Amino acid sequence: MIGEMTVQVRVLDIKEGQQWYETFLCRKPDFIPHQGFAEWELIPGCWLQVAEGKPAVGSGPIRIGVLNIIAERERLVKELNIEFFTIHSREEVPVKWGTFTVPWGNRLGLFEYVSEGENRTS
């Protein structure tokens, strides 16, 4: 049985990368085990690790659930200067989603449940 999960992305400069992810996640890391590494626990048992190193361009996307995907897209475009991205939806899919690329080539995405009854982020 799986009890936890960790996903790692790499950045060329940890100071710059950590600052970018702090802005993206709206908070400081939960754990910095050593130089060149920062970790955020996104939900209990699910960690995002940002490590200094050569990025794996084109990997992902790692999708993060949000309450308002349009508001988050506006915030990220303004605060992190990411390229405006399209929000997709399909009648048979219970979420709206969008994907964007961060400065190091990693792909991230956001999703929002269409029905409040489905929403697990509130």
Side-chain angles (χ1 to χ4, degrees):
M1 176 179 203
I2 297 172
E4 290 194 36
M5 180 181 121
T6 301
V7 177
Q8 184 183 100
V9 295
R10 295 185 200 121
V11 296
L12 292 174
D13 178 280
I14 191 64
K15 185 176 180 179
E16 181 184 339
Q18 181 178 327
Q19 179 62 48
W20 193 95
Y21 279 92
E22 285 178 4
T23 302
F24 174 64
L25 297 169
C26 299
R27 62 189 176 99
K28 300 269 187 211
D30 295 302
F31 185 51
I32 299 176
H34 54 77
Q35 186 175 357
F37 213 81
E39 296 186 53
W40 287 261
E41 187 173 28
L42 302 179
I43 59 173
C46 181
W47 292 81
L48 173 64
Q49 299 175 331
V50 175
E52 191 167 56
K54 184 178 178 184
V57 177
S59 64
I62 299 169
R63 292 206 195 279
I64 297 173
V66 296
L67 294 175
N68 185 326
I69 193 169
I70 293 172
E72 278 300 303
R73 176 181 61 187
E74 290 173 8
R75 183 182 75 82
L76 296 174
V77 168
K78 180 181 177 186
E79 292 182 16
L80 293 172
N81 199 32
I82 65 165
E83 190 172 316
F84 184 86
F85 60 91
T86 302
I87 296 172
H88 304 277
S89 65
R90 293 176 69 168
E91 189 174 317
E92 68 275 14
V93 178
V95 298
K96 298 183 276 188
W97 72 93
T99 304
F100 56 94
T101 303
V102 305
W104 303 275
N106 300 308
R107 293 175 55 222
L108 296 178
L110 304 176
F111 69 91
E112 173 190 342
Y113 282 96
V114 176
S115 166
E116 269 195 44
E118 294 286 331
N119 192 345
R120 293 163 182 84
T121 59
S122 55

